[in-house]
Amino acid sequence: MAESMRGLHRSHRCTEVSNQNIGETVTVMGWVQKRRNLGSLIFIDLRDRSGILQLVFNEEAVGKEGYEKAERLRSEFVIAVTGNVMKRSAAVNESLKTGDIEVVATDLRILSESETPPFQIEENSQTKDEIRLKYRYLDLRRPDLQRNMALRSQVAYLMREFMRKEEFIEIETPMLCKSTPEGARDYLVPSRIHAGHFYALPQSPQLYKQLLMCSGYDRYFQITKCFRDEDLRAERQPEFTQADMELSFVDVEDVLDVNERLLQYVFKEAIGVEISLPLPRMPWQEAMDRYGSDKPDTRFGMELCDVSEIVKDCGFSVFTGALENGGSVRGINVKGQAGMPRKKIDKLVEFAKGCGAKGLAWLAVNEDGTYKSSFAKFMMEEALGALTEKMEGKPGDLLLFAADKNKIVWNVLGALRLEMAKELELLDPNQYHFLWVTEFPLLEWSDEENRFMAMHHPFTMPMEEDWDKIDSDPGAVRAKAYDIVLNGTELGGGSVRIHQNDIQEKMFEVLGFTKESAYEKFGFLLEAFRYGVPPHAGLAYGLDRLIMHMVHSDSIRDVIAFPKVKDASCLMTQAPGIVEEKQLEELYIRTTEVE
Ligand code: ASP
């Protein structure tokens, strides 16, 4: 039977009780973590959000009825206990904050009972994800998730505090928007009032924040949900949180400056990590050439080396063929791995194929200076020597090469580099290597769509010095776009925006919009630009990913209270679900799918 807490007031959270309180009477409330009976004593570990406190029941202090009640306690019962704080008589528990004290109960109330939970509430649970997510409210009782949620909240507070000091204004933008597909797929919301019409949930507040700049708000900021209906990869969530901002009368430098100070502040205050400024910057082209990635992990070297010049006449057709097709040959030097067993090398070849390569060429420099290589028989000893020298290969090194179109070569070697670093344990989670990647290409060719697509979004400003190439060589135009990268993940990105109608219209044209379709989708923005628009720029962080890094988790679900799984469903509520026929009728919707 559940008792009421009438007349009781919680005086302390569990770990707020300390040896300072010895001799005092306290009232604590929480969940039973564990019960142990020891002769005529019952020990209870009581848990709340703050941690664990040991309670002791003996008949003398709590009375016969109280003692019998204590005997009934099971894991996850919710109780209220009043008692006296004492120094622990036996075994002091060094691992607990309250390890040198205990509360000797004088009164016990069972506020609610619990069935046997489907899994033990404990740190680092080994329970399967499906079970944890089905019973997420229990999972969220675990101390590691509670710490994550608290840190997440703290980071949001710190961001708001910083942004307020910097005179940003937080403004909410709508959730029911107009569908402007360009990028990911929209989540649609049918309108009941306007038959056959749909709202879209925002993929980001992009257009609104640009309009706010037109309205003179100068510095805007918002922590907000965004929605993207993508084919889900493991680390994506259909709804996620952005920390979003936009500034007027600024250029790239201003945005980077305020953001690196923001990061410095948040990392210091939230997790005690010092970041020294300015953060390093690297143009996109350099990032691709050196690391094969636009979000390079710079905690280790193993940089890519372009050997195209060296091998252009080497006679090995895999290499020369790639060059003839306009591609390149590049390699990485895996130090000290010449002795890698053949089976393992074969696995790397398979890995490279999985990244789009046709194969992977390798060369091991033996300790005695001779070579063992997948292509030695196609190449003169001299050429092997020159290649090794260019790669700074020393006896004991393993050199891996990819030859193909640049995009594939970068992709393969970028991934291999990371794979080898993981394997060789070169990735120290306690190092924080931030990097700005700048000067992204404005456009990216899509074979699928057979047209250029905006690499960032259609509102991104091209670099002035490249604009004259927009017709002759659109792929070569760089953008005033930047990403902030931490240890190989993109934390956020943004750009300076186009604020001139003629450039914006040209951009739509290059992206294959007709004037009519551009106006149909973005007319309100183009209209707004006709009434005085300041130059503006901004950036958005993926807040979930940022927090995930701060807590060293490898799953985004560990930092979201109620996450969805890969197929975008919620295992706890069973969303999405089917709805009543009447609801559909009201919305003028008939589904083609029959259950
Ligand atoms: N809206 C952009 C995004 O979601 C960020 C930005 O450009 O500010 O990626």
Side-chain angles (χ1 to χ4, degrees):
M1 227 264 302
E3 297 175 86
S4 101
M5 57 175 278
R6 199 157 89 204
L8 286 184
H9 276 283
R10 176 163 77 163
S11 67
H12 296 76
R13 286 222 173 80
C14 284
T15 64
E16 284 165 4
V17 184
S18 74
N19 48 26
Q20 303 288 314
N21 303 101
I22 289 175
E24 292 173 19
T25 299
V26 297
T27 298
V28 287
M29 303 185 188
W31 286 259
V32 172
Q33 177 73 26
K34 203 162 70 184
R35 193 198 73 200
R36 277 163 298 147
N37 288 28
L38 267 182
S40 53
L41 294 178
I42 296 171
F43 290 94
I44 296 290
D45 279 350
L46 185 72
R47 187 193 71 238
D48 66 14
R49 176 181 128 184
S50 73
I52 300 264
L53 173 66
Q54 176 164 294
L55 311 175
V56 191
F57 295 83
N58 63 60
E59 215 176 298
E60 205 180 311
V62 77
K64 187 166 167 18
E65 198 189 325
Y67 191 81
E68 279 169 8
K69 234 196 268 176
E71 282 182 313
R72 282 181 35 225
L73 294 180
R74 298 282 178 276
S75 287
E76 303 311 315
F77 276 34
V78 181
I79 60 174
V81 170
T82 302
N84 301 315
V85 184
M86 307 268 200
K87 199 165 171 49
R88 267 200 203 188
S89 37
V92 167
N93 186 341
E94 301 276 351
S95 68
L96 285 184
K97 211 166 158 188
T98 56
D100 57 347
I101 50 154
E102 56 195 18
V103 171
V104 178
T106 52
D107 185 62
L108 164 66
R109 290 195 209 172
I110 298 178
L111 302 178
S112 117
E113 300 190 353
S114 168
E115 293 177 20
T116 306
F119 53 86
Q120 181 89 26
I121 309 303
E122 62 189 0
E123 192 114 345
N124 301 320
S125 169
Q126 296 301 313
T127 310
K128 281 217 306 257
D129 278 2
E130 295 83 86
I131 309 280
R132 284 177 49 192
L133 290 167
K134 174 157 184 227
Y135 299 95
R136 186 61 164 177
Y137 42 90
L138 294 179
D139 199 30
L140 283 168
R141 285 184 194 171
R142 297 192 302 111
D144 33 357
L145 283 191
Q146 294 202 338
R147 274 198 305 274
N148 291 356
M149 293 309 134
L151 183 87
R152 185 180 174 121
S153 159
Q154 195 199 353
V155 168
Y157 277 121
L158 290 167
M159 283 184 155
R160 288 201 166 93
E161 198 174 279
F162 180 89
M163 297 310 267
R164 194 170 65 90
K165 266 190 244 151
E166 296 280 331
E167 295 180 63
F168 283 77
I169 301 180
E170 186 161 5
I171 300 176
E172 292 174 66
T173 52
M175 288 289 125
L176 297 176
C177 309
K178 191 175 152 84
S179 175
T180 51
E182 176 64 30
R185 197 174 289 119
D186 282 331
Y187 272 99
L188 296 179
V189 181
S191 163
R192 180 182 57 84
I193 294 171
H194 303 276
H197 288 62
F198 294 83
Y199 302 97
L201 300 180
Q203 295 190 24
S204 85
Q206 186 61 35
L207 294 167
Y208 291 104
K209 68 176 177 173
Q210 290 195 240
L211 290 168
L212 287 171
M213 294 303 107
C214 295
S215 308
Y217 285 90
D218 211 59
R219 293 185 148 209
Y220 139 94
F221 168 70
Q222 184 180 200
I223 295 181
T224 188
K225 277 287 178 75
C226 300
F227 306 84
R228 295 183 191 173
D229 187 4
E230 291 175 294
D231 293 324
L232 296 180
R233 280 179 267 144
E235 278 314 306
R236 288 278 168 105
Q237 288 283 320
E239 53 179 304
F240 60 97
T241 304
Q242 276 192 349
D244 188 42
M245 68 181 75
E246 194 76 9
L247 302 80
S248 287
F249 307 112
V250 294
D251 208 334
V252 176
E253 284 304 316
D254 306 282
V255 180
L256 303 201
D257 168 66
V258 76
N259 277 285
E260 45 193 46
R261 286 185 296 109
L262 168 67
L263 287 168
Q264 185 182 51
Y265 179 68
V266 169
F267 272 76
K268 174 84 203 312
E269 298 298 319
I271 56 171
V273 167
E274 300 273 359
I275 304 174
S276 57
L277 303 186
L279 298 178
R281 290 160 200 198
M282 189 181 288
W284 178 88
Q285 187 66 52
E286 184 182 338
M288 300 310 287
D289 284 336
R290 288 176 59 189
Y291 300 99
S293 167
D294 59 4
K295 38 178 185 291
D297 193 329
T298 49
R299 281 175 296 175
F300 65 101
M302 214 190 286
E303 293 186 14
L304 277 58
C305 175
D306 190 340
V307 297
S308 306
E309 259 311 298
I310 304 274
V311 300
K312 67 177 192 295
D313 304 312
C314 71
F316 178 33
S317 65
V318 170
F319 286 178
T320 52
L323 296 176
E324 278 153 23
N325 282 329
S328 60
V329 183
R330 297 167 204 248
I332 53 172
N333 181 343
V334 193
K335 288 272 160 210
Q337 291 300 304
M340 186 182 283
R342 190 53 203 268
K343 263 213 181 110
K344 230 167 159 183
I345 295 186
D346 289 343
K347 276 213 181 115
L348 292 183
V349 177
E350 286 315 306
F351 179 86
K353 285 183 182 160
C355 301
K358 291 187 210 64
L360 181 71
W362 55 271
L363 185 154
V365 190
N366 297 326
E367 291 298 343
D368 62 5
T370 61
Y371 304 111
K372 192 165 59 192
S373 167
S374 62
F375 53 86
K377 57 174 178 285
F378 304 107
M379 229 188 248
M380 306 281 278
E381 180 90 14
E382 239 167 64
L384 292 175
L387 189 56
T388 308
E389 193 182 313
K390 175 83 182 166
M391 295 286 296
E392 294 180 9
K394 298 277 171 313
D397 292 350
L398 175 66
L399 314 179
L400 304 174
F401 299 95
D404 213 311
K405 297 233 168 63
N406 281 337
K407 209 170 156 180
I408 295 178
V409 170
W410 284 326
N411 199 24
V412 170
L413 292 181
L416 264 177
R417 183 180 165 267
L418 277 183
E419 190 65 16
M420 295 315 302
K422 264 183 230 150
E423 169 123 11
L424 301 174
E425 294 177 9
L426 303 177
L427 304 174
D428 177 356
N430 295 314
Q431 278 186 30
Y432 292 83
H433 281 226
F434 287 90
L435 176 73
W436 286 109
V437 176
T438 59
E439 301 180 14
F440 275 77
L442 182 69
L443 303 160
E444 190 176 29
W445 179 258
S446 160
D447 283 331
E448 210 172 295
E449 301 251 338
N450 197 33
R451 66 169 175 111
F452 277 108
M453 312 272 284
M455 189 128 167
H456 187 50
H457 50 53
F459 317 105
T460 294
M461 179 79 101
M463 283 174 63
E464 281 98 355
E465 50 269 60
D466 293 349
W467 186 235
D468 57 354
K469 284 183 273 191
I470 192 66
D471 288 314
S472 56
D473 189 6
V477 178
R478 290 166 300 166
K480 289 191 168 188
Y482 33 78
D483 273 0
I484 179 72
V485 174
L486 169 60
N487 294 351
T489 29
E490 176 202 328
L491 293 183
S495 59
V496 175
R497 326 298 183 188
I498 298 169
H499 72 280
Q500 305 91 324
N501 253 349
D502 53 336
I503 300 186
Q504 187 64 71
E505 281 178 10
K506 178 77 195 173
M507 186 68 184
F508 284 139
E509 181 195 313
V510 175
L511 294 173
F513 288 88
T514 60
K515 210 162 180 156
E516 291 71 41
S517 69
Y519 265 88
E520 151 69 20
K521 290 195 172 79
F522 307 110
F524 54 96
L525 185 74
L526 297 172
E527 278 282 297
F529 280 11
R530 289 169 44 193
Y531 297 97
V533 45
H536 56 289
L539 177 143
Y541 294 94
L543 189 67
D544 312 287
R545 234 185 282 173
L546 178 69
I547 307 293
M548 182 176 133
H549 263 277
M550 294 180 116
V551 303
H552 294 304
S553 169
D554 49 19
S555 168
I556 202 130
R557 302 202 291 236
D558 286 346
V559 299
I560 298 175
F562 298 104
K564 299 204 166 41
V565 291
K566 215 168 155 183
D567 70 357
S569 65
C570 168
L571 298 183
M572 183 182 66
T573 62
Q574 306 290 318
I578 47 172
V579 296
E580 281 173 31
E581 199 57 39
K582 181 164 166 289
Q583 284 176 285
L584 289 180
E585 263 165 37
E586 277 173 354
L587 296 168
Y588 309 96
I589 285 181
R590 200 172 295 141
T591 67
T592 53
E593 189 67 36
V594 256
E595 271 294 294

